[in-house]
Amino acid sequence: MWRVLGFRPATMSALLFSLLLLLSTLCRLGQSMSREEKLKLRNQVVEMFDHAYSNYMDHAYPADELMPLTCRGRVRGLEPSRGDVDDALGMFSLTLIDTLDTLVLLNKTAEFEAAVRRVLKDVRLDNDVVVSVFETNIRVLGGLLGGHSMAVMLKDAGHYMQWYQDELLHMAKDLGLRLLPAFNTSSGLPYPRVNLKHGVRGPESRTGTETDTCTACAGTIILEFAALSRFTGDPVFEVHARRALNFLWEKRQRNSNLVGTTINIHSGEWVRRDSGVGAGIDSYYEYLLKAYILLGDDLFLQRFNIHYASIMKYISQPPLLLDVHIHKPLLPARTWMDSLLAFFPGLQVLKGDIRPAIETHEMLYQVTKKHNFLPEAFTTDFRVHWAQHPLRPEFAESTYFLYKATKDPYYLEVGRTVLDNLNRFARVPCGFAAMKDVRTGSHEDRMDSFFLAEMFKYLFLLFAEEDDLPFNVEDYIFTTEAHLLPLSLSTTPRAPSPPANSTVQAASLPHLSASVKSLWSEEELDDSNFDWTCPNTRLLFPDPAFPRNLRDPIRSAVDKSCPRPAVHREPGMGRPPLRAQDFMANNPDHLELLRRMGVSLIHLKDGRVQLVQHATQAVSAVAAEDGMRFMQEMMELSSQQQKEQLPPRAVQIISHPFFGRVVLTAGPAQFGTDLSKSITGVRGFVTVAEPYSGCAELSNAAFVQGRIALLQRGQCMFAEKTRHIMKAGAIGGIVIDDNEGSSSDTAPLFQMAGDGRNTDDVTLPLLFLFYKEGNILLEALKEYREVEVLLSDKARDRASIFKGGDAPEEDQTSPASSATLDRSHMSTVELDESAPESAPDKEEVTPEEDVGPAIKRNPEPEEEPAVEKDSSSKSVKAMMADWREDLEAFQQMEKDEL
């Protein structure tokens, strides 16, 4: 918690320097922004909102959303289906309802009154359409309740909405009753979808057969449903929402106190056991804390605190937030993050944990500056994983809350960056268009309703002064869709009985009560008091240097503009500091030098390596400085190695019985023979090197001579392996991943970097295969003993492979001609002989060591060719079946996460 009274800084936490930490900007203290400049930016926010809102009303209303590239409305059923994304659309003028309370906040009271009249006149909620329970709850029900709250506030002020008689609340109750059938399950968890007219499970509902839902989908109901119950006096809504939350809590993993991402709504079994704070779980945690604030129930805060402690123990690796397995929380579940976790620093502000909030936000800001927007997903070294950006507001949300907590003008400049990027890259004549690819700047014909509901609220609040606001936002709490619910609901008794502990109500407000404010003069503070209170969001740290001091150590480590003091060698060190270009991960002396500098080497699950510096663990201040210099050199070395972006290569099995029909997608090396400049490629029989690692002189050099050597990843550098097989007379090499289960199905393409030295002496090609692709080659070698392959830049047609009339006759019984091969990692050249492989979508590089990350690409799945196979190759057939199951599971996982 923040120590609001008599703040005592905690012990300096370990500062994580990721191997590929982004280059930061200035090292100087940010200057205050003048009131005139803030006013200018505030007015710019209003102008941008007007541009988006007026174009929706002019070109799209009463449709649910605006299509800004074609200047028309998106009507479900009339436009091509986008899958689950369309479940947010219910033919109920979604964008208008979602925008109601934004109009009031931006002082557009007359427009709000006109919009309410439009909603009451035009919107129907009894449409025969299947919608997402989660999206309809947070966007439509939340929008109606937020609109009702604003209407009541304006009516009480005596100027506007004097005719209003709770019409929006009546609509909200009607919608709530239409959502209730989804909760008719044995567990109390709602079905993910419901038909607004027919409910679930009926013959006309076209839904109710689903078995799984995401944790956030079931756990992000309580604010809207409890508010509806307390506004109307009908307890049924809050009862159902609490039941769902209780069930999720009971199903948490008891050892880790984490929840999974997807759960079976009938059995309560976790379908996906990965746990994080991003997509699929995010707002479950948010609503536990906010339910305590809004409703004043200790139980919600108690549960949140237990979850939060586990998040900070297992998931938080400041500044990163990495998914883990709920049963093995020390085991990373993936090496990338999604953009939805950008809300978490804002939630940490509400919780009062300022340090990690600042650190994670700074990381997100650096990613934003690198790509102009937060990619939908990005890797731990901040490269694009999924390139879309649907104008999500979570980063702006956290920026606002951090500014409100610290008053650091740095966050005003962050907000200015967000504004500028929206205007430069997303603004189009008919509104603002989502980014289809942040790397190319291409657009998608999409402007989601949350853009108007959330983005402009948070940006307006960021730049607005208190006297610019039409009401006191301290009297409201923001839902996950940024709808405003009055905190006065905390004093409304929960039917059938009032809250168990009425004393919590005053403490539940996210501001200091008068009694707490009176304690500012006290010197000592009992920390336990803050387990049950929330911080003063007006100003938590009077000294703006506090957040700057957290950002600067990370930024200055990689910012070349920062001057460095002269460093004197530590007496007794006895040797110069380790240089990045000399580092060998398998050298014990080097590892000991890293330890002295406070640098540790972490092996990630996928075989990649991350270097982390804990400055406080260095043996001395000078050693810590050496560690910082080493990290900077390593990052510069990695940057140099990443400049060349190579496309994937091909390993084509051309011997009997495959005859060139099986092609394995391979990763290239940044050294050795460039296969893209070779007309014929490199053709030869394969053999396994001894030792298999290739990290010493080969004992079977005579057998390797004139062949392509198979090597296992690990233990030494890629270049070192290559030099050893060259010495043995090999004509090429294939490195096979030692990470069991890895596949190009589920991992981006891998590009091998050099060892930091001159590699001009390496003159043969080296390619990389993931475990599953490599295993098909090893299995073929085991079954047929002599296996010939072609290493090339792309798959070759059979005519070019078998020149001179030596092409084999069609063998209808050959193993390569009956199995159905999956072209996400295999292909047949007969389908497309001329199309070249595309360049990698994204890349990751680790310098030098071959157990580190490399440039990778997620291949697009292609049509699967049918190839025949006989009984002589059952193991290969079984492998194909395993691959198919894995691919289907992966595709389902990708669908769930999106």
Side-chain angles (χ1 to χ4, degrees):
M1 297 292 292
W2 281 320
R3 276 58 177 176
V4 178
L5 316 176
F7 171 71
R8 298 191 301 270
T11 303
M12 187 67 173
S13 62
L15 294 177
L16 181 148
F17 291 90
S18 177
L19 177 62
L20 296 176
L21 194 62
L22 299 175
L23 289 179
S24 186
T25 53
L26 299 177
C27 294
R28 58 181 178 83
L29 174 63
Q31 301 298 316
S32 297
M33 183 178 289
S34 68
R35 186 183 180 96
E36 292 73 20
E37 187 67 15
K38 287 180 66 178
L39 176 62
K40 179 181 176 181
L41 292 171
R42 187 208 68 182
N43 291 340
Q44 186 178 0
V45 173
V46 175
E47 185 279 327
M48 292 167 65
F49 170 83
D50 289 341
H51 179 67
Y53 179 70
S54 62
N55 273 287
Y56 166 74
M57 296 304 296
D58 292 343
H59 299 292
Y61 182 82
D64 284 314
E65 290 180 344
L66 169 68
M67 300 173 67
L69 299 183
T70 53
C71 298
R72 67 178 193 272
R74 183 179 297 280
V75 179
R76 192 168 176 181
L78 299 184
E79 301 293 336
S81 174
R82 300 176 297 170
D84 294 346
V85 175
D86 283 340
D87 288 343
L89 311 180
M91 296 187 289
F92 34 37
S93 300
L94 172 63
T95 298
L96 183 60
I97 292 177
D98 221 1
T99 308
L100 289 176
D101 49 6
T102 306
L103 289 166
V104 179
L105 182 66
L106 270 60
N107 294 292
K108 296 183 177 296
T109 314
E111 290 90 335
F112 169 75
E113 187 161 2
V116 172
R117 292 185 184 275
R118 283 181 180 269
V119 169
L120 300 179
K121 174 177 174 290
D122 298 337
V123 174
R124 295 177 57 92
L125 299 174
D126 60 349
N127 301 311
D128 183 9
V129 60
V130 176
V131 296
S132 163
V133 173
F134 167 76
E135 297 289 355
T136 304
N137 173 68
I138 66 172
R139 299 203 208 185
V140 186
L141 182 57
L144 291 171
L145 293 173
H148 170 70
S149 300
M150 295 294 98
V152 170
M153 180 271 297
L154 291 172
K155 183 178 181 180
D156 290 345
H159 298 293
Y160 293 91
M161 304 298 294
Q162 296 304 301
W163 54 271
Y164 183 69
Q165 298 294 326
D166 296 343
E167 289 88 349
L168 291 178
L169 180 60
H170 299 325
M171 288 185 69
K173 184 173 183 180
D174 179 24
L175 180 59
L177 292 172
R178 295 180 184 280
L179 296 178
L180 278 183
F183 292 80
N184 187 22
T185 62
S186 58
S187 66
L189 299 179
Y191 284 97
R193 299 173 185 83
V194 66
N195 187 299
L196 290 177
K197 187 172 185 178
H198 300 293
V200 297
R201 295 197 298 183
E204 298 176 316
S205 69
R206 305 187 303 283
T207 189
T209 59
E210 303 93 341
T211 59
D212 306 335
T213 193
C214 71
T215 301
C217 298
T220 312
I221 305 291
I222 185 65
L223 290 189
E224 292 82 4
F225 268 42
L228 183 58
S229 284
R230 299 193 181 202
F231 272 133
T232 63
D234 188 342
V236 64
F237 306 105
E238 186 171 346
V239 166
H240 280 288
R242 284 177 177 264
R243 184 185 176 205
L245 272 182
N246 290 341
F247 190 83
L248 289 173
W249 171 254
E250 290 300 319
K251 291 300 178 180
R252 76 192 186 282
Q253 211 291 321
R254 299 304 177 94
N255 292 324
S256 66
N257 281 315
L258 296 173
V259 293
T261 302
T262 307
I263 190 170
N264 186 293
I265 60 176
H266 304 298
S267 68
E269 294 293 323
W270 290 109
V271 178
R272 284 185 50 205
R273 294 178 171 85
D274 49 311
S275 183
V277 296
I281 301 180
D282 49 1
S283 48
Y284 163 69
Y285 294 130
E286 177 186 4
Y287 269 37
L288 282 177
L289 181 57
K290 289 184 175 180
Y292 164 69
I293 295 170
L294 180 66
L295 307 177
D297 189 333
D298 289 4
L299 187 63
F300 293 123
L301 183 58
Q302 180 184 14
R303 292 176 178 178
F304 174 81
N305 283 337
I306 291 173
H307 280 316
Y308 187 78
S310 293
I311 291 170
M312 299 310 291
K313 181 177 182 180
Y314 300 118
I315 295 171
S316 177
Q317 300 180 31
L320 309 179
L321 293 164
L322 297 178
D323 283 20
V324 300
H325 295 274
I326 59 175
H327 294 91
K328 297 180 179 179
L330 297 177
L331 183 64
R334 63 190 189 193
T335 57
W336 49 270
M337 297 166 280
D338 64 74
S339 62
L340 286 172
L341 61 76
F343 90 100
F344 197 67
L347 187 65
Q348 290 178 307
V349 169
L350 197 58
K351 160 68 176 174
D353 201 357
I354 188 69
R355 182 185 300 271
I358 291 172
E359 292 171 340
T360 298
H361 180 274
E362 178 65 16
M363 177 270 292
L364 295 169
Y365 182 41
Q366 297 304 320
V367 177
T368 298
K369 291 202 296 183
K370 183 179 180 69
H371 302 295
N372 299 321
F373 300 97
L374 274 180
E376 197 71 329
F378 51 93
T379 62
T380 54
D381 49 12
F382 316 130
R383 295 183 176 277
V384 174
H385 186 71
W386 293 332
Q388 306 94 329
H389 174 75
L391 306 183
R392 293 199 184 278
E394 286 78 13
F395 178 69
E397 174 186 359
S398 288
T399 302
Y400 161 65
F401 282 116
L402 272 169
Y403 176 69
K404 194 169 182 63
T406 65
K407 294 302 181 185
D408 185 349
Y410 178 85
Y411 296 109
L412 297 176
E413 295 300 331
V414 174
R416 188 203 300 269
T417 299
V418 173
L419 280 183
D420 290 345
N421 287 345
L422 285 172
N423 275 321
R424 289 176 59 197
F425 303 110
R427 186 164 183 149
V428 294
C430 285
F432 291 84
M435 306 305 296
K436 185 176 183 179
D437 192 318
V438 297
R439 296 163 300 188
T440 64
S442 59
H443 289 124
E444 188 175 355
D445 201 3
R446 168 183 181 183
M447 189 179 80
D448 291 83
S449 66
F450 54 67
F451 182 60
L452 287 162
E454 300 182 68
M455 181 70 81
F456 294 111
K457 273 198 188 83
Y458 291 125
L459 290 176
F460 182 83
L461 287 168
L462 177 64
F463 298 115
E465 303 290 348
E466 285 191 21
D467 53 9
D468 295 329
L469 304 178
F471 57 89
N472 186 359
V473 294
E474 304 291 326
D475 295 334
Y476 297 83
I477 192 168
F478 290 102
T479 69
T480 194
E481 190 76 4
H483 292 306
L484 293 155
L485 298 178
L487 291 172
S488 58
L489 290 174
S490 65
T491 62
T492 304
R494 173 169 63 95
S497 60
N501 186 353
S502 59
T503 63
V504 176
Q505 294 165 7
S508 70
L509 305 183
H511 329 288
L512 292 179
S513 63
S515 61
V516 177
K517 289 178 181 178
S518 68
L519 297 175
W520 272 100
S521 60
E522 297 188 13
E523 295 182 358
E524 294 299 326
L525 179 67
D526 181 2
D527 290 352
S528 64
N529 292 338
F530 288 90
D531 289 339
W532 303 101
T533 60
C534 294
N536 179 3
T537 60
R538 290 182 179 273
L539 181 58
L540 290 161
F541 292 99
D543 180 10
F546 179 79
R548 174 175 59 87
N549 290 338
L550 293 181
R551 292 190 300 265
D552 281 357
I554 297 177
R555 297 166 59 201
S556 63
V558 294
D559 192 339
K560 297 179 181 179
S561 67
C562 292
R564 295 182 179 277
V567 178
H568 301 285
R569 298 302 319 139
E570 176 190 4
M573 275 292 279
R575 47 187 160 180
L578 179 64
R579 306 305 300 269
Q581 61 266 30
D582 300 323
F583 174 66
M584 300 282 288
N586 60 340
N587 186 319
D589 291 338
H590 289 183
L591 295 179
E592 172 61 19
L593 286 174
L594 290 187
R595 185 194 67 77
R596 294 179 64 84
M597 294 187 296
V599 178
S600 57
L601 186 143
I602 299 174
H603 293 267
L604 301 178
K605 180 189 175 186
D606 64 351
R608 301 189 310 149
V609 158
Q610 198 169 55
L611 292 178
V612 180
Q613 185 185 31
H614 302 267
T616 57
Q617 295 181 12
V619 296
S620 69
V622 174
E625 179 71 13
D626 288 343
M628 294 176 63
R629 183 178 293 104
F630 173 81
M631 297 296 288
Q632 181 179 3
E633 290 177 354
M634 188 65 79
M635 286 180 275
E636 291 172 352
L637 179 62
S638 299
S639 178
Q640 293 171 7
Q641 294 172 337
Q642 293 166 30
K643 290 179 180 178
E644 185 179 4
Q645 302 179 14
L646 301 177
R649 306 303 190 205
V651 175
Q652 193 167 3
I653 306 178
I654 61 176
S655 57
H656 173 87
F658 302 98
F659 299 126
R661 293 188 179 88
V662 174
V663 182
L664 306 175
T665 300
Q670 292 181 335
F671 54 88
T673 301
D674 185 354
L675 291 172
S676 66
K677 299 178 180 178
S678 173
I679 299 176
T680 59
V682 174
R683 175 175 176 172
F685 289 91
V686 298
T687 190
V688 177
E690 296 177 7
Y692 189 23
S693 67
C695 293
E697 289 194 17
L698 303 192
S699 60
N700 63 337
F703 194 61
V704 169
Q705 185 174 7
R707 291 175 172 253
I708 296 172
L710 301 183
L711 307 155
Q712 187 178 46
R713 179 186 183 188
Q715 301 183 33
C716 65
M717 311 305 159
F718 292 119
E720 183 178 350
K721 296 177 188 289
T722 313
R723 291 186 178 101
H724 283 141
I725 64 173
M726 279 182 61
K727 186 175 181 180
I731 61 173
I734 299 174
V735 177
I736 297 175
D737 195 7
D738 61 344
N739 182 23
E740 186 171 352
S742 68
S743 170
S744 59
D745 291 340
T746 56
L749 196 68
F750 197 106
Q751 178 164 312
M752 295 175 287
D755 59 0
R757 299 178 177 85
N758 190 311
T759 54
D760 291 344
D761 60 312
V762 178
T763 57
L764 56 75
L766 187 73
L767 298 183
F768 178 88
L769 293 178
F770 283 108
Y771 181 87
K772 286 192 174 182
E773 287 83 349
N775 204 34
I776 186 66
L777 194 56
L778 293 173
E779 197 68 28
L781 185 61
K782 179 181 177 181
E783 293 193 31
Y784 302 107
R785 297 185 180 274
E786 290 291 333
V787 174
E788 189 179 14
V789 300
L790 174 66
L791 311 183
S792 59
D793 61 333
K794 64 179 181 179
R796 305 299 172 94
D797 64 290
R798 297 173 68 214
S800 64
I801 295 174
F802 303 105
K803 291 181 179 179
D806 58 343
E809 296 294 330
E810 292 292 336
D811 182 358
Q812 298 300 327
T813 63
S814 68
S817 42
S818 75
T820 300
L821 305 182
D822 184 344
R823 290 190 65 200
S824 62
H825 49 262
M826 290 187 179
S827 61
T828 68
V829 300
E830 294 174 342
L831 291 183
D832 186 355
E833 300 176 356
S834 60
E837 292 280 359
S838 60
D841 288 25
K842 67 187 190 65
E843 54 186 26
E844 305 175 350
V845 172
T846 277
E848 304 182 351
E849 195 193 0
D850 87 345
V851 294
I855 295 180
K856 305 178 178 180
R857 180 172 76 97
N858 271 337
E860 294 292 333
E862 303 179 44
E863 182 181 349
E864 299 173 353
V867 189
E868 298 180 14
K869 180 177 180 179
D870 67 9
S871 60
S872 66
S873 176
K874 291 182 180 178
S875 60
V876 177
K877 182 176 182 181
M879 203 178 311
M880 296 300 103
D882 291 342
W883 285 358
R884 183 172 301 284
E885 291 178 4
D886 290 346
L887 178 62
E888 291 174 353
F890 172 72
Q891 290 173 335
Q892 182 60 43
M893 180 183 72
E894 293 268 297
K895 177 181 177 183
D896 291 344
E897 289 172 348
L898 283 170

